[in-house]
Amino acid sequence: MFSLTSWHLLSSLVFSFLILQARCHDPKIETYIVYMGNHPKEMHVAELLHTSLVKKVLGRNFAPEALLHSYKKSFNAFAVRLTQEQAERMAEMDGVISVFQSKTHKPQTTRSWDFIGFPQEVNRSSLESDVIVGVIDTGIWPESDSFNDHGFSSPPKNWKGSCQNITCNNKIIGAKYFRVDGSFGKDDIISPRDSEGHGTHTASTVAGNWVNSASLFGLGKGTARGGVPSARIAVYKSCWSSGCETADILAAFDEAIFDGVDILSVSLGFKSVVYHDFFQDMFAIGAFHAMKKGILTSISGNNFGPELSTMTSFAPWSLSVAASTIDRKYSTKIQLGNGRVFEGVSMNTFDLHNKTYPLIYSGDAPNITGGFNSSRARLCLGNSLDESKVKGKIVLCDEFPSDATRLSGAVGVVLPTATYPKDAASFFVFPLPLAVLTLNDGITIHSYLNSTSNPTVAIYKTNEGKDSLAPYVASFSSRGPNMITPNILKPDIAAPGVDIIAAWPSITPISPVKGDKRLSKFNIIFGTSMACPHATAAAAYVKSFHPTWSPAAIKSALMTTATPMSPALNPEAEFAYGAGQINPIKAVSPGLVYDISESDYVRFLCGQGYNRTSLGSITDEEVNCKKIENETVWDLNLPSFALKRNISVSFFSVFHRTVTNVGAAKSVYKAKVIVPRSLLTIQVTPSVLSFSSVGEKKSFTVTIEGTINMEIVSASLIWDDGNSQVKSPIVVYSSAQ
Ligand SMILES: *[C@@H]1O[C@H](CO)[C@@H](O)[C@H](O)[C@H]1NC(C)=O
Ligand SMILES: *[C@@H]1O[C@H](CO)[C@@H](O)[C@H](O)[C@H]1NC(C)=O
Ligand SMILES: *[C@@H]1O[C@H](CO)[C@@H](O)[C@H](O)[C@H]1NC(C)=O
Ligand SMILES: *[C@@H]1O[C@H](CO)[C@@H](O)[C@H](O)[C@H]1NC(C)=O
Ligand SMILES: *[C@@H]1O[C@H](CO)[C@@H](O)[C@H](O)[C@H]1NC(C)=O
Ligand SMILES: *[C@@H]1O[C@H](CO)[C@@H](O)[C@H](O)[C@H]1NC(C)=O
Ligand SMILES: *[C@@H]1O[C@H](CO)[C@@H](O)[C@H](O)[C@H]1NC(C)=O
Ligand SMILES: *[C@@H]1O[C@H](CO)[C@@H](O)[C@H](O)[C@H]1NC(C)=O
Ligand SMILES: *[C@@H]1O[C@H](CO)[C@@H](O)[C@H](O)[C@H]1NC(C)=O
C-alpha cells in the first residue's frame, strides 16, 4: 500500500535487509491465480470446474479451503493455494491460460485542474452524472465533504452495484471490499472505509465535489474539486495495511465490470520493476475484460523513474499515465544567524513565527551512553542524539530521521542531501519543522557552524511560489520504453501528479512517519497514483459527451489532443510523457479518432505469439491467428507510433492506420509530419483524407525510413483540417535501450 513518501521507501529498504536467508525444505504453499479467459455463461458451473481442477492437481491432498476464490462475474479464474510444483501442473491443464503467483502490490487538487486549462466553469454534459467511475484502491472516507450527495439524483438505472458496511448515497453508489484469503491486520478496518488515505485522495481527484477553502494547514488553499464532480463513484477496496494482493485486485475488477462502471481508475502498480506478459499481469487481464465491456482502464505508470525501462504497465488497451508537475511550487526557506537565506523543499506546515533557534550538527551530539558514536548520530537514528545537547535546538542531519518521537527534543531538522528527488515537496513531510537542502548548501552551513560559537537558524513555514518551467515529468515517474511490446509506446499520457491536494480521511495522520499525529480533511501527496485519477477524470469527461465511444476512441481523443511537452526539460521525451499532458476540453472534440475493436486486439495478440488455443477462451470473436501471421505489432490502430531499431542500421517500416471521423461531416484533413530530416524520412499515403460523413473511416500508411544515430528520435504526425489537429507521437529508438 502506498502513498509514495520517503518513509515508505526507507522502510522498504529496511525490510530488504531482513529477507530470510534460511532455506525451507517443505515446499512452500503460496496463493496462485489460475486464469481461464472469458467469464462462464453460468456462474455456478465455474465453481464446479475450478473445484475439479484443484482436485485433479492436489489429488489426495485436496481440501476445499485450498480454493480461495472463484472469479466468474466478468472473467473466468480462481485463486488457489498451491506449491510451485502443483502450480506447474495446473498450468498444463486443459483450459488454463496462465498461472501466476498472487503478490502484494502498492497503491501508488484544486490548482492542478486550472493549470492544465480545465477551469471550474467548463461546459459540462448533462450526462456527466450518468458516468460511474470505479476506483480500485484503499477504500474511501464517505463522510468527506467531497462525497456528499447534495443535489444528486438516484443512480443510473442499469447500475448493479451496492455498498457493504457503509450506506450508499447518490454520490458513492458502490462500495465493496475484497480479501480473498480472509486475513486482516490489526489496523485494518474490515469495510470499504479507507484508513490509509490513498483511495480517498484518488477518488476525490476524479469525482469529488467542489469544496471551498480546502488546504493542508493553510498550504494549497483553494477550492478542491474532482475533474468530473457530477460523476458517481464506486469504490472497490483491494488494499489493506499489508498492501494490495493480486487476488484481491482481480476480485475488484471482476466485480466492478459486472456492476457496470463506465471507467476504471487504478492507482496501483507492481512493487518493483517487473516485465510481465499480458496474461501474467492481473492489471492487463482485468483491463482486457473491462475493455470488452466498453470500460477504459486508466492506470498509474509507476514510480521508478527517472531511469528508462521502468514502466510496468504495457497493455495497449489500458491508458498508462505518467506524472507531471504543476506550476505551484512549494519551498521552505531557512535563515542562518549570519543572515544567509537558503531555499529548501519540504511540506512544512509548522509556523515557528520566524523565531531563530540554536543550530547543532547531529554528528557533534552522539548519545554516547546509548552506545552511539558520531558516525551513527550524524544519520539522526532514533535515540542516537544526546538530549542534553540537542533539546530545544534545530539539528542538522545527514539522513532522514527515522523516528520523530526519538529525536531527543530537537525542535526542527535541516537536511542537506542528494539522495532524494527534490521535485516533489510532499516527498518531505515530517512532524517537526523540516527543510531539505542541496549538499552544496550543506557545506556552506557547515562552515557557518565552524565559524561561530553561537550558531542559530530559523525554519520558515512552507511557501507557495510559481514554477515557470512546469509542466515537466517528475523524476519519480516511470519511463518507457515498453519492455513487453517494444513497438508500442508507453506511457500513453502525462497528467498532474506532484503535490496534489485532495480529500483525506479525518482519522488518518497526514504522513505515516512515526509521531505524526496531524489530522486534516485534505492532504498534499504525489505519485503517478495522483496522475492516474486526473487522466481517469479526463476520460470520464470525454465519455460524458460521447457515451457510446469505445475505450480506444476515448484514449485516442485524450492522446491526439494532449498538450505537447518539452523534450528539453525531459530528455527521455515520449518515454517520459507519451503523447503529452492531458487536455480534457480539447479531447471532447478530437476531429478524428483511432479506434480499436476487440478483434483488433486479438489479432495483435496473435502477432505477439499467442495462439488460437489461449485466445479462443478470452474472446467470443473468431480467432484465426494463421491468417494474420504477416501482420506486425505496429499495425495495431493506436494513435502513437513506436519503432525499435538498431543504431546505424538502415530500415524501412510500414505502419497501417485507420481514422474515424468524429468531427464535421464534410472535412478534409492534410497530413503534416514533423521530423528531424537528416535522420528519418516519413511518408504518409494518402496525404489527404476527405470525409463526407460522421463515422466514416479512412485508412492510410506511414512509412518510416532511415537510420538513427542516437537513442531516441522524436517525430510526429498531425492530421489537420484547419480546425482540429490530430497529433500522434512517433518515436524511433535504438535497441541499446
Ligand atoms: C461552451 O459551449 C459553448 C457552446 O457550445 C461555446 O460557445 C463555449 O465556447 C464553450 N465554453 C467553454 C469554456 O468551453
Ligand atoms: C463489515 O461487514 C462485514 C460482513 O458483514 C463484517 O464482517 C465486518 O465486521 C463489518 N465491518 C465493520 C467495520 O463493521
Ligand atoms: C516571517 O518572514 C516572512 C518572510 O521572510 C515574512 O513575510 C513574515 O511576515 C514573517 N512573519 C513574522 C511573524 O514575522
Ligand atoms: C540514549 O540511548 C538510549 C538507548 O537507546 C536511550 O534509552 C536514551 O534515552 C538515550 N538518551 C538520550 C539522552 O537521548
Ligand atoms: C561507530 O559505531 C558503529 C556501530 O556501532 C561501528 O561500526 C563504527 O565503526 C563506529 N565508528 C567509529 C568512527 O567509531
Ligand atoms: C568544520 O570543522 C570540522 C572539524 O572541526 C571539519 O571536519 C569540517 O571539514 C569543517 N567544515 C567546513 C565546511 O569547514
Ligand atoms: C498454443 O500455445 C501454447 C502455449 O504457448 C502451446 O502449449 C500450444 O501447443 C500452442 N497450440 C498450438 C495449436 O499451437
Ligand atoms: C499479408 O499477406 C497478404 C498475402 O500475401 C497480403 O495481401 C497482405 O497485404 C499482407 N498484409 C500485410 C499487413 O503486410
Ligand atoms: C539488432 O542487433 C541485435 C544484436 O546485435 C541483432 O540480434 C538484431 O538482429 C538486430 N536487429 C536488426 C533489425 O538489425
Side-chain angles (χ1 to χ4, degrees):
M1 185 161 44
F2 213 78
S3 58
L4 192 138
T5 68
S6 49
W7 314 104
H8 288 108
L9 288 185
L10 287 175
S11 54
S12 64
L13 283 180
V14 171
F15 285 131
S16 65
F17 289 116
L18 298 178
I19 292 170
L20 295 177
Q21 296 298 316
R23 258 243 151 91
C24 223
H25 289 288
D26 282 340
K28 234 163 123 191
I29 297 179
E30 317 252 24
T31 301
Y32 284 87
I33 307 297
V34 181
Y35 173 55
M36 305 183 69
N38 273 349
H39 79 90
K41 298 276 177 297
E42 292 182 64
M43 288 187 200
H44 70 275
V45 176
E47 205 145 353
L48 292 177
L49 170 69
H50 298 163
T51 308
S52 84
L53 280 173
V54 178
K55 272 188 179 148
K56 264 193 203 148
V57 167
L58 293 187
R60 274 186 298 128
N61 300 325
F62 174 78
E65 55 277 16
L67 177 61
L68 290 175
H69 188 80
S70 283
Y71 308 89
K72 55 200 175 201
K73 291 187 162 174
S74 304
F75 44 86
N76 186 0
F78 56 99
V80 58
R81 306 274 299 157
L82 299 172
T83 64
Q84 193 187 334
E85 187 263 324
Q86 289 164 341
E88 281 161 15
R89 266 192 288 141
M90 186 64 88
E92 304 290 302
M93 293 284 160
D94 267 359
V96 170
I97 294 175
S98 60
V99 176
F100 51 98
Q101 212 179 314
S102 180
K103 294 216 171 115
T104 307
H105 309 279
K106 62 189 197 193
Q108 311 191 7
T109 342
T110 51
R111 177 67 198 147
S112 53
W113 289 118
D114 291 320
F115 176 64
I116 61 165
F118 191 59
Q120 199 156 326
E121 59 281 0
V122 288
N123 287 339
R124 298 210 172 258
S125 160
S126 59
L127 299 179
E128 186 174 305
S129 65
D130 284 351
V131 177
I132 303 165
V133 180
V135 182
I136 302 181
D137 212 302
T138 63
I140 198 162
W141 190 255
E143 290 79 14
S144 166
D145 294 339
S146 298
F147 309 125
N148 85 44
D149 69 347
H150 292 319
F152 280 81
S153 55
S154 42
K157 290 223 168 46
N158 341 340
W159 175 241
K160 291 202 232 108
S162 58
C163 291
Q164 280 176 300
N165 301 83
I166 64 172
T167 313
C168 281
N169 64 16
N170 286 330
K171 179 76 188 175
I172 302 175
I173 62 171
K176 292 175 182 167
Y177 68 83
F178 303 89
R179 190 61 171 164
V180 308
D181 72 2
S183 71
F184 295 97
K186 71 171 173 30
D187 293 332
D188 285 327
I189 303 177
I190 305 173
S191 107
R193 186 174 283 283
D194 180 15
S195 54
E196 205 276 348
H198 192 271
T200 301
H201 200 278
T202 55
S204 65
T205 301
V206 185
N209 299 315
W210 296 351
V211 182
N212 289 325
S213 42
S215 82
L216 174 64
F217 301 104
L219 300 178
K221 207 170 201 154
T223 300
R225 61 191 174 97
V228 279
S230 303
R232 320 292 180 128
I233 296 170
V235 175
Y236 299 87
K237 175 171 169 180
S238 304
C239 300
W240 304 89
S241 53
S242 60
C244 326
E245 194 79 26
T246 303
D248 300 332
I249 296 169
L250 262 184
F253 271 106
D254 193 31
E255 195 80 16
I257 297 165
F258 180 80
D259 284 349
V261 301
D262 292 301
I263 307 270
L264 272 170
S265 197
V266 186
S267 287
L268 311 175
F270 292 102
K271 203 165 49 175
S272 57
V273 177
V274 287
Y275 309 133
H276 286 306
D277 209 79
F278 297 129
F279 297 139
Q280 304 278 333
D281 168 354
M282 75 287 186
F283 297 113
I285 291 173
F288 186 84
H289 289 280
M291 174 276 295
K292 281 159 59 90
K293 285 282 186 303
I295 305 161
L296 177 63
T297 301
S298 164
I299 179 162
S300 51
N302 227 326
N303 300 326
F304 296 112
E307 285 76 31
L308 289 169
S309 315
T310 48
M311 283 292 298
T312 58
S313 166
F314 305 117
W317 45 84
S318 303
L319 181 69
S320 308
V321 189
S324 53
T325 58
I326 58 175
D327 63 347
R328 180 186 263 168
K329 191 182 179 80
Y330 295 96
S331 60
T332 306
K333 273 196 310 192
I334 69 163
Q335 184 165 24
L336 300 180
N338 65 6
R340 285 282 310 258
V341 173
F342 299 87
E343 189 170 289
V345 293
S346 71
M347 201 52 78
N348 175 30
T349 64
F350 300 101
D351 189 351
L352 299 177
H353 305 289
N354 301 358
K355 192 167 171 245
T356 54
Y357 289 85
L359 174 66
I360 187 167
Y361 175 49
S362 54
D364 292 339
N367 169 6
I368 290 164
T369 53
F372 294 92
N373 57 22
S374 168
S375 52
R376 295 184 71 210
R378 56 179 276 272
L379 307 176
C380 289
L381 305 169
N383 281 347
S384 68
L385 303 178
D386 183 341
E387 189 171 351
S388 66
K389 287 193 167 147
V390 305
K391 188 167 184 187
K393 296 184 184 169
I394 288 173
V395 49
L396 178 68
C397 293
D398 285 344
E399 235 328 325
F400 241 110
S402 51
D403 181 349
T405 63
R406 295 190 296 161
L407 264 187
S408 310
V411 297
V413 173
V414 172
L415 171 66
T417 176
T419 310
Y420 307 100
K422 297 197 179 67
D423 51 4
S426 53
F427 201 95
F428 307 104
V429 184
F430 196 66
L432 292 176
L434 165 79
V436 177
L437 304 170
T438 64
L439 282 182
N440 263 343
D441 291 345
I443 291 169
T444 314
I445 297 168
H446 273 287
S447 53
Y448 164 69
L449 275 173
N450 285 0
S451 73
T452 171
S453 53
N454 188 18
T456 62
V457 67
I459 302 179
Y460 296 108
K461 185 174 177 180
T462 291
N463 176 55
E464 274 165 48
K466 205 168 162 70
D467 185 355
S468 53
L469 289 181
Y472 47 91
V473 173
S475 53
F476 60 80
S477 184
S478 284
R479 266 60 170 181
N482 187 329
M483 298 301 280
I484 292 293
T485 43
N487 295 323
I488 285 180
L489 180 65
K490 288 284 171 176
D492 294 304
I493 208 155
V498 175
D499 298 340
I500 303 299
I501 188 165
W504 200 250
S506 55
I507 56 158
T508 308
I510 62 167
S511 85
V513 183
K514 234 177 165 176
D516 202 338
K517 297 200 170 73
R518 287 171 293 173
L519 301 176
S520 169
K521 288 170 150 185
F522 291 88
N523 198 4
I524 300 176
I525 57 178
F526 74 97
T528 52
S529 282
M530 282 63 249
C532 168
H534 281 89
T536 310
Y541 185 68
V542 173
K543 176 122 188 154
S544 72
F545 287 91
H546 307 289
T548 60
W549 281 12
S550 71
I554 294 174
K555 176 175 164 178
S556 169
L558 291 171
M559 287 176 68
T560 61
T561 60
T563 309
M565 290 178 71
S566 161
L569 294 174
N570 303 275
E572 311 84 15
E574 285 78 7
F575 292 142
Y577 45 67
Q581 176 158 273
I582 52 163
N583 185 338
I585 294 177
K586 272 192 153 178
V588 169
S589 319
L592 305 173
V593 292
Y594 294 77
D595 206 356
I596 305 177
S597 67
E598 181 182 340
S599 53
D600 295 331
Y601 286 121
V602 171
R603 288 151 71 100
F604 156 78
L605 289 168
C606 285
Q608 286 286 289
Y610 295 90
N611 61 31
R612 190 175 182 166
T613 320
S614 52
L615 296 180
S617 49
I618 65 162
T619 180
D620 302 323
E621 315 269 330
E622 180 84 28
V623 182
N624 190 345
C625 285
K626 273 231 169 66
K627 231 167 139 184
I628 49 184
E629 248 165 20
N630 65 344
E631 278 196 26
T632 50
V633 163
W634 53 80
D635 282 334
L636 185 63
N637 200 36
L638 287 164
S640 59
F641 302 81
L643 198 54
K644 178 175 166 178
R645 284 297 176 251
N646 288 346
I647 276 188
S648 306
V649 179
S650 66
F651 61 87
F652 176 90
S653 303
V654 185
F655 293 79
H656 297 84
R657 288 292 187 274
T658 300
V659 283
T660 307
N661 181 20
V662 295
K666 291 205 188 330
S667 46
V668 178
Y669 284 85
K670 294 201 173 100
K672 187 169 140 200
V673 171
I674 299 170
V675 59
R677 284 194 197 283
S678 54
L679 297 169
L680 302 177
T681 307
I682 298 181
Q683 203 124 51
V684 181
T685 324
S687 62
V688 176
L689 300 176
S690 303
F691 295 90
S692 53
S693 63
V694 174
E696 191 179 353
K697 289 178 189 286
K698 294 272 173 182
S699 296
F700 62 93
T701 61
V702 176
T703 56
I704 307 180
E705 174 170 19
T707 44
I708 54 169
N709 59 5
M710 56 175 104
E711 290 175 339
I712 304 169
V713 179
S714 299
S716 53
L717 161 64
I718 303 165
W719 286 107
D720 193 340
D721 73 342
N723 194 18
S724 300
Q725 289 75 42
V726 188
K727 184 166 190 256
S728 291
I730 300 175
V731 186
V732 184
Y733 69 105
S734 78
S735 46
Q737 299 311 315

